Structure formats: C-alpha cells, structure tokens
C-alpha cells in the first residue's frame, strides 16, 4: 500500500492486480485484520475505485488474480468491485484456463456473489468445455465450493445445475481430501475441551462434500441442532443430522 500511496496514479492494470495479490498475502487475522482495514481504509477504497476503472483492460489472468486475492483478503467493500469483475468474467469466460477459471469461481463463492444465473451458466459452460480430465484436485475442490455455494444460496432450478457427473467428481475430491487443522483451529479446540464443550474436529459431511472445522455436538440426551465453527473461512450452520440450514459469510470464531 505504501507503493500505491506514492505511485498509484501511474498504476496500470498489471500493477493493480499485483497490488491485490500482495495484499492478500499479508498474514493478519481477527482483530489484527480489523485494525489493518481501519488504518488503511482510505487507501483501500481508492485502490478499489482504481481497480473498477481498469477492469476492461484486465486479461483473464488479471481478472483471476484480482478476484482470488480480494476473496482471500476479505475486505467487505470489495464485494461491489467483485460484482463488476463477475460481469466481465461472464463476457470473457472462454479466455480462462483451468487454474484461472477455478480460482475465479472459488473467489465468487467465498465472497458470496456466485448466486447469479448468468454467472452460473457461464461457469457451467466453461467447466464442460475444459472437461473434468483437465481439472486437477485443487481445481475440483475450488469448483465444488462454487457449486455448493450456488446450491445453498440460489437453490437453482435443474437447468442451472452443472451435470451431476461433474458435480459428484468435484465433491468426491473434497470428501476424500485429508484436512489438517491450523494452529488457531487447534487452540480453539483445546479451549472448547477445557470448557467441557463436546465437539468434533474436521467433521466431513459427505452429502455436502464439505469439511467442518469444528462441530459443536448437541448436549447428551437432547435433540437440538448442532452448530459449527469455521475458524477462518466460510461458515456453515448445520442441524444435528448434518442437514444444512443456512450458509453465512465470515467466521464463527477467530475473526474477532
């Protein structure tokens, strides 16, 4: 951001995408993230405005990098810019290779702008054109998160769903993928144990193809709904039987 403050007026579309990429690598969480956003809000908003002006000049890699980086950064005002980027992506979806395409789809899912009919159709069409054989494990997990976000938020008619074979292939990778707990996750789990709260770590919900960081189990002898904690990603609220009740952005813990 210091470079942008000094030289932002000369930034072209490549510089803008690079700036977001570097920002997304800043390792801050929780209160540190909130403090960073407060301190740099004015500059970040200027960068967002600058980004909006450069969108027509971004190539597919630039769109992908910018979307992916904004999603990782999770700066709430960026959602409006992401909507503009999604409109550009729809028009130029055929230019994206497998990695850029799935990075972009994942980003729209994480930020919560995936549930638009035109975008869903574009992503489905590009996935079919690329083909499941050309998608590696990372590509498939990213695409699954897009499909899951669409199903939960849009509840689309059948004609907007990707082919069942593609969806199942992507979901199966998520089910089979071993999941390692982060340091923060382990600290949260340890504190729950100290408090005597029954929970399960890295719970896989096969029907959804999703791993829940921490599932708070219903109290013994009750039939109430369980809850989940997502330490640093998208938050799913589950019933005791694993049925999804709703999806919400943000984190139930670890985000201040």
């Amino acid at each position: 951001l210091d470079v942008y403050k000094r030289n932002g007026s000369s930034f072209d579309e490549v510089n803008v995408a690079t700036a977001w990429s570097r920002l997304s690598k800043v390792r801050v969480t929780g209160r540190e993230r909130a403090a960073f956003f407060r301190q740099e809000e004015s500059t970040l908003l200027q960068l967002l405005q600058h980004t909006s002006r450069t969108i027509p000049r971004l190539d597919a890699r630039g769109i992908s990098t910018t979307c992916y980086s904004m999603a990782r950064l999770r700066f709430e005002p960026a959602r409006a810019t992401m909507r503009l980027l999604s409109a550009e992506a729809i028009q130029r979806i055929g230019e994206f290779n497998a990695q850029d395409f799935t990075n972009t789809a994942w980003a729209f899912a994480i930020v919560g702008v995936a549930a638009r009919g035109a975008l869903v159709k574009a992503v489905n069409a590009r996935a079919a054109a690329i083909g499941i054989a050309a998608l590696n494990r990372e590509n498939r997990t990213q695409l699954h998160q897009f499909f899951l976000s669409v199903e939960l938020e849009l509840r689309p008619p059948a004609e907007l769903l990707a082919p069942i074979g593609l969806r199942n292939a992507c979901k199966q990778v998520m089910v089979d993928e071993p999941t390692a707990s982060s340091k923060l996750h382990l600290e949260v789990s340890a504190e729950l144990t100290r408090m005597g709260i029954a929970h399960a770590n890295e719970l896989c919900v096969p029907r959804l193809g999703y791993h829940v960081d921490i599932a708070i189990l219903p109290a013994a002898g009750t039939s109430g709904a369980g809850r989940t904690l997502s330490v640093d990603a998208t938050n799913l609220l589950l019933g005791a039987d694993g049925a999804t009740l709703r999806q919400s952005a943000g984190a139930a813990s670890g985000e201040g």
Side-chain angles (χ1 to χ4, degrees):
L1 282 180
D2 288 338
V3 175
Y4 184 74
K5 290 174 184 177
R6 294 194 303 270
N7 305 306
S9 60
S10 63
F11 270 36
D12 61 14
E13 62 275 13
V14 175
N15 300 136
V16 166
T18 301
W20 286 113
S21 178
R22 292 182 177 175
L23 274 170
S24 73
K25 295 178 174 66
V26 176
R27 303 298 296 177
V28 292
T29 59
R31 292 184 178 85
E32 290 178 344
R33 184 191 302 273
F36 173 74
F37 287 159
R38 286 194 299 270
Q39 179 180 339
E40 301 293 352
E41 181 178 24
S42 176
T43 303
L44 287 168
L45 291 176
Q46 289 178 36
L47 181 57
L48 282 174
Q49 293 176 350
H50 195 147
T51 303
S52 297
R53 295 193 298 270
T54 66
I55 287 175
R57 299 194 299 276
L58 289 169
D59 61 11
R61 174 58 57 85
I63 293 172
S64 173
T65 298
T66 304
C67 290
Y68 183 78
S69 301
M70 284 184 176
R72 291 187 62 191
L73 187 62
R74 282 177 282 164
F75 181 51
E76 179 62 25
R79 287 170 60 89
T81 306
M82 288 284 284
R83 292 189 185 95
L84 297 177
L85 284 161
S86 72
E88 189 73 16
I90 289 169
Q91 297 301 317
R92 298 167 54 191
I93 197 74
E95 301 172 22
F96 288 68
N97 64 26
Q99 188 63 60
D100 292 339
F101 160 64
T102 56
N103 276 350
T104 304
W106 174 87
F108 291 144
I110 293 299
V111 173
V113 299
R116 297 175 52 217
L119 178 61
V120 174
K121 289 179 180 179
V123 168
N124 291 348
R126 188 56 182 160
I130 291 174
I132 189 65
L135 300 176
N136 61 29
R137 294 182 67 84
E138 180 185 5
N139 300 153
R140 295 184 192 191
T141 60
Q142 290 177 316
L143 202 51
H144 171 66
Q145 290 180 76
F146 178 86
F147 293 150
L148 180 59
S149 176
V150 169
E151 288 183 38
L152 294 175
E153 296 181 22
L154 189 60
R155 300 189 182 280
E159 61 266 23
L160 276 183
L161 291 174
I164 187 66
L166 173 62
R167 284 184 283 135
N168 283 343
C170 292
K171 179 170 68 174
Q172 193 60 47
V173 172
M174 286 289 286
V175 171
D176 295 341
E177 191 76 15
T179 304
S181 297
S182 67
K183 179 183 177 182
L184 177 59
H185 175 177
L186 293 175
E187 290 172 352
V188 172
S189 177
E191 182 62 18
L192 290 172
T193 299
R194 188 191 65 80
M195 296 168 64
I197 298 176
H199 64 283
N201 292 321
E202 305 299 349
L203 176 69
C204 179
V205 184
R207 187 180 66 81
L208 297 175
Y210 210 91
H211 289 264
V212 173
D213 287 347
I214 300 174
I216 306 298
L217 305 176
T222 70
S223 59
R227 289 177 180 268
T228 68
L229 298 182
S230 181
V231 175
D232 53 8
T234 300
N235 184 30
L236 292 174
L237 175 61
L238 304 177
D241 61 353
T244 303
L245 301 179
R246 66 179 176 85
Q247 181 182 38
S248 60
S253 67
E255 288 298 304

PDB file of all heavy atoms in Angstrom, residues 172-189:
ATOM      1  N   GLN A 172     -16.415 -35.503  -4.617  1.00  0.00           N
ATOM      2  CA  GLN A 172     -15.695 -36.653  -4.082  1.00  0.00           C
ATOM      3  C   GLN A 172     -14.269 -36.297  -3.685  1.00  0.00           C
ATOM      4  O   GLN A 172     -13.739 -36.820  -2.702  1.00  0.00           O
ATOM      5  CB  GLN A 172     -15.681 -37.789  -5.103  1.00  0.00           C
ATOM      6  CG  GLN A 172     -15.228 -39.127  -4.527  1.00  0.00           C
ATOM      7  CD  GLN A 172     -16.142 -39.583  -3.391  1.00  0.00           C
ATOM      8  OE1 GLN A 172     -17.374 -39.547  -3.524  1.00  0.00           O
ATOM      9  NE2 GLN A 172     -15.552 -40.010  -2.275  1.00  0.00           N
ATOM     10  N   VAL A 173     -13.657 -35.397  -4.435  1.00  0.00           N
ATOM     11  CA  VAL A 173     -12.313 -34.948  -4.072  1.00  0.00           C
ATOM     12  C   VAL A 173     -12.326 -34.278  -2.707  1.00  0.00           C
ATOM     13  O   VAL A 173     -11.438 -34.496  -1.877  1.00  0.00           O
ATOM     14  CB  VAL A 173     -11.747 -33.984  -5.138  1.00  0.00           C
ATOM     15  CG1 VAL A 173     -10.439 -33.360  -4.671  1.00  0.00           C
ATOM     16  CG2 VAL A 173     -11.517 -34.720  -6.453  1.00  0.00           C
ATOM     17  N   MET A 174     -13.339 -33.484  -2.445  1.00  0.00           N
ATOM     18  CA  MET A 174     -13.462 -32.816  -1.149  1.00  0.00           C
ATOM     19  C   MET A 174     -13.681 -33.833  -0.029  1.00  0.00           C
ATOM     20  O   MET A 174     -13.113 -33.707   1.056  1.00  0.00           O
ATOM     21  CB  MET A 174     -14.616 -31.821  -1.166  1.00  0.00           C
ATOM     22  CG  MET A 174     -14.332 -30.552  -1.943  1.00  0.00           C
ATOM     23  SD  MET A 174     -13.148 -29.456  -1.140  1.00  0.00           S
ATOM     24  CE  MET A 174     -14.151 -28.786   0.188  1.00  0.00           C
ATOM     25  N   VAL A 175     -14.504 -34.842  -0.291  1.00  0.00           N
ATOM     26  CA  VAL A 175     -14.771 -35.865   0.722  1.00  0.00           C
ATOM     27  C   VAL A 175     -13.498 -36.634   1.048  1.00  0.00           C
ATOM     28  O   VAL A 175     -13.207 -36.941   2.210  1.00  0.00           O
ATOM     29  CB  VAL A 175     -15.873 -36.829   0.243  1.00  0.00           C
ATOM     30  CG1 VAL A 175     -16.010 -38.010   1.189  1.00  0.00           C
ATOM     31  CG2 VAL A 175     -17.207 -36.082   0.127  1.00  0.00           C
ATOM     32  N   ASP A 176     -12.723 -36.950   0.023  1.00  0.00           N
ATOM     33  CA  ASP A 176     -11.524 -37.778   0.191  1.00  0.00           C
ATOM     34  C   ASP A 176     -10.317 -36.983   0.681  1.00  0.00           C
ATOM     35  O   ASP A 176      -9.358 -37.575   1.169  1.00  0.00           O
ATOM     36  CB  ASP A 176     -11.149 -38.446  -1.137  1.00  0.00           C
ATOM     37  CG  ASP A 176     -12.200 -39.435  -1.606  1.00  0.00           C
ATOM     38  OD1 ASP A 176     -13.016 -39.872  -0.774  1.00  0.00           O
ATOM     39  OD2 ASP A 176     -12.210 -39.752  -2.814  1.00  0.00           O
ATOM     40  N   GLU A 177     -10.361 -35.670   0.519  1.00  0.00           N
ATOM     41  CA  GLU A 177      -9.189 -34.844   0.818  1.00  0.00           C
ATOM     42  C   GLU A 177      -8.884 -34.846   2.306  1.00  0.00           C
ATOM     43  O   GLU A 177      -9.721 -34.467   3.125  1.00  0.00           O
ATOM     44  CB  GLU A 177      -9.439 -33.397   0.355  1.00  0.00           C
ATOM     45  CG  GLU A 177      -8.220 -32.510   0.377  1.00  0.00           C
ATOM     46  CD  GLU A 177      -7.270 -32.769  -0.778  1.00  0.00           C
ATOM     47  OE1 GLU A 177      -7.675 -33.427  -1.753  1.00  0.00           O
ATOM     48  OE2 GLU A 177      -6.132 -32.314  -0.689  1.00  0.00           O
ATOM     49  N   PRO A 178      -7.668 -35.248   2.716  1.00  0.00           N
ATOM     50  CA  PRO A 178      -7.311 -35.149   4.136  1.00  0.00           C
ATOM     51  C   PRO A 178      -7.209 -33.693   4.544  1.00  0.00           C
ATOM     52  O   PRO A 178      -6.721 -32.853   3.784  1.00  0.00           O
ATOM     53  CB  PRO A 178      -5.949 -35.846   4.200  1.00  0.00           C
ATOM     54  CG  PRO A 178      -5.389 -35.744   2.821  1.00  0.00           C
ATOM     55  CD  PRO A 178      -6.578 -35.795   1.897  1.00  0.00           C
ATOM     56  N   THR A 179      -7.703 -33.374   5.720  1.00  0.00           N
ATOM     57  CA  THR A 179      -7.736 -31.987   6.179  1.00  0.00           C
ATOM     58  C   THR A 179      -6.902 -31.844   7.438  1.00  0.00           C
ATOM     59  O   THR A 179      -7.111 -32.555   8.423  1.00  0.00           O
ATOM     60  CB  THR A 179      -9.185 -31.554   6.469  1.00  0.00           C
ATOM     61  OG1 THR A 179      -9.975 -31.767   5.296  1.00  0.00           O
ATOM     62  CG2 THR A 179      -9.252 -30.080   6.848  1.00  0.00           C
ATOM     63  N   ALA A 180      -5.961 -30.922   7.408  1.00  0.00           N
ATOM     64  CA  ALA A 180      -5.102 -30.665   8.572  1.00  0.00           C
ATOM     65  C   ALA A 180      -5.602 -29.429   9.301  1.00  0.00           C
ATOM     66  O   ALA A 180      -5.984 -28.436   8.679  1.00  0.00           O
ATOM     67  CB  ALA A 180      -3.661 -30.472   8.128  1.00  0.00           C
ATOM     68  N   SER A 181      -5.629 -29.494  10.612  1.00  0.00           N
ATOM     69  CA  SER A 181      -6.082 -28.367  11.419  1.00  0.00           C
ATOM     70  C   SER A 181      -4.980 -27.326  11.535  1.00  0.00           C
ATOM     71  O   SER A 181      -3.801 -27.658  11.699  1.00  0.00           O
ATOM     72  CB  SER A 181      -6.474 -28.842  12.824  1.00  0.00           C
ATOM     73  OG  SER A 181      -7.562 -29.734  12.767  1.00  0.00           O
ATOM     74  N   SER A 182      -5.358 -26.061  11.448  1.00  0.00           N
ATOM     75  CA  SER A 182      -4.405 -24.973  11.639  1.00  0.00           C
ATOM     76  C   SER A 182      -4.083 -24.809  13.124  1.00  0.00           C
ATOM     77  O   SER A 182      -4.778 -25.353  13.996  1.00  0.00           O
ATOM     78  CB  SER A 182      -4.988 -23.667  11.102  1.00  0.00           C
ATOM     79  OG  SER A 182      -6.108 -23.272  11.891  1.00  0.00           O
ATOM     80  N   LYS A 183      -3.047 -24.048  13.404  1.00  0.00           N
ATOM     81  CA  LYS A 183      -2.676 -23.786  14.791  1.00  0.00           C
ATOM     82  C   LYS A 183      -3.827 -23.118  15.531  1.00  0.00           C
ATOM     83  O   LYS A 183      -4.154 -23.480  16.673  1.00  0.00           O
ATOM     84  CB  LYS A 183      -1.428 -22.910  14.842  1.00  0.00           C
ATOM     85  CG  LYS A 183      -0.978 -22.565  16.263  1.00  0.00           C
ATOM     86  CD  LYS A 183       0.227 -21.640  16.249  1.00  0.00           C
ATOM     87  CE  LYS A 183       0.616 -21.244  17.676  1.00  0.00           C
ATOM     88  NZ  LYS A 183       1.756 -20.295  17.689  1.00  0.00           N
ATOM     89  N   LEU A 184      -4.458 -22.136  14.878  1.00  0.00           N
ATOM     90  CA  LEU A 184      -5.574 -21.432  15.507  1.00  0.00           C
ATOM     91  C   LEU A 184      -6.729 -22.390  15.777  1.00  0.00           C
ATOM     92  O   LEU A 184      -7.351 -22.355  16.842  1.00  0.00           O
ATOM     93  CB  LEU A 184      -6.040 -20.281  14.616  1.00  0.00           C
ATOM     94  CG  LEU A 184      -7.244 -19.480  15.102  1.00  0.00           C
ATOM     95  CD1 LEU A 184      -6.979 -18.862  16.472  1.00  0.00           C
ATOM     96  CD2 LEU A 184      -7.620 -18.408  14.083  1.00  0.00           C
ATOM     97  N   HIS A 185      -7.014 -23.248  14.820  1.00  0.00           N
ATOM     98  CA  HIS A 185      -8.072 -24.242  14.980  1.00  0.00           C
ATOM     99  C   HIS A 185      -7.803 -25.113  16.201  1.00  0.00           C
ATOM    100  O   HIS A 185      -8.699 -25.348  17.029  1.00  0.00           O
ATOM    101  CB  HIS A 185      -8.140 -25.076  13.703  1.00  0.00           C
ATOM    102  CG  HIS A 185      -9.104 -26.219  13.747  1.00  0.00           C
ATOM    103  ND1 HIS A 185      -9.330 -27.024  12.675  1.00  0.00           N
ATOM    104  CD2 HIS A 185      -9.891 -26.719  14.741  1.00  0.00           C
ATOM    105  CE1 HIS A 185     -10.216 -27.960  12.984  1.00  0.00           C
ATOM    106  NE2 HIS A 185     -10.568 -27.795  14.240  1.00  0.00           N
ATOM    107  N   LEU A 186      -6.576 -25.600  16.333  1.00  0.00           N
ATOM    108  CA  LEU A 186      -6.224 -26.455  17.468  1.00  0.00           C
ATOM    109  C   LEU A 186      -6.349 -25.712  18.796  1.00  0.00           C
ATOM    110  O   LEU A 186      -6.763 -26.284  19.808  1.00  0.00           O
ATOM    111  CB  LEU A 186      -4.802 -26.991  17.291  1.00  0.00           C
ATOM    112  CG  LEU A 186      -4.604 -27.966  16.112  1.00  0.00           C
ATOM    113  CD1 LEU A 186      -3.132 -28.320  15.967  1.00  0.00           C
ATOM    114  CD2 LEU A 186      -5.448 -29.220  16.295  1.00  0.00           C
ATOM    115  N   GLU A 187      -6.020 -24.425  18.781  1.00  0.00           N
ATOM    116  CA  GLU A 187      -6.153 -23.630  20.006  1.00  0.00           C
ATOM    117  C   GLU A 187      -7.618 -23.475  20.400  1.00  0.00           C
ATOM    118  O   GLU A 187      -7.976 -23.569  21.582  1.00  0.00           O
ATOM    119  CB  GLU A 187      -5.506 -22.256  19.803  1.00  0.00           C
ATOM    120  CG  GLU A 187      -3.983 -22.312  19.712  1.00  0.00           C
ATOM    121  CD  GLU A 187      -3.382 -20.969  19.326  1.00  0.00           C
ATOM    122  OE1 GLU A 187      -4.169 -20.044  18.991  1.00  0.00           O
ATOM    123  OE2 GLU A 187      -2.144 -20.848  19.345  1.00  0.00           O
ATOM    124  N   VAL A 188      -8.485 -23.254  19.396  1.00  0.00           N
ATOM    125  CA  VAL A 188      -9.918 -23.141  19.669  1.00  0.00           C
ATOM    126  C   VAL A 188     -10.454 -24.461  20.211  1.00  0.00           C
ATOM    127  O   VAL A 188     -11.225 -24.502  21.180  1.00  0.00           O
ATOM    128  CB  VAL A 188     -10.691 -22.733  18.395  1.00  0.00           C
ATOM    129  CG1 VAL A 188     -12.195 -22.804  18.629  1.00  0.00           C
ATOM    130  CG2 VAL A 188     -10.296 -21.327  17.953  1.00  0.00           C
ATOM    131  N   SER A 189     -10.039 -25.568  19.594  1.00  0.00           N
ATOM    132  CA  SER A 189     -10.480 -26.883  20.040  1.00  0.00           C
ATOM    133  C   SER A 189     -10.042 -27.154  21.479  1.00  0.00           C
ATOM    134  O   SER A 189     -10.817 -27.677  22.291  1.00  0.00           O
ATOM    135  CB  SER A 189      -9.916 -27.969  19.114  1.00  0.00           C
ATOM    136  OG  SER A 189     -10.278 -29.257  19.563  1.00  0.00           O
TER     137      SER A 189
END
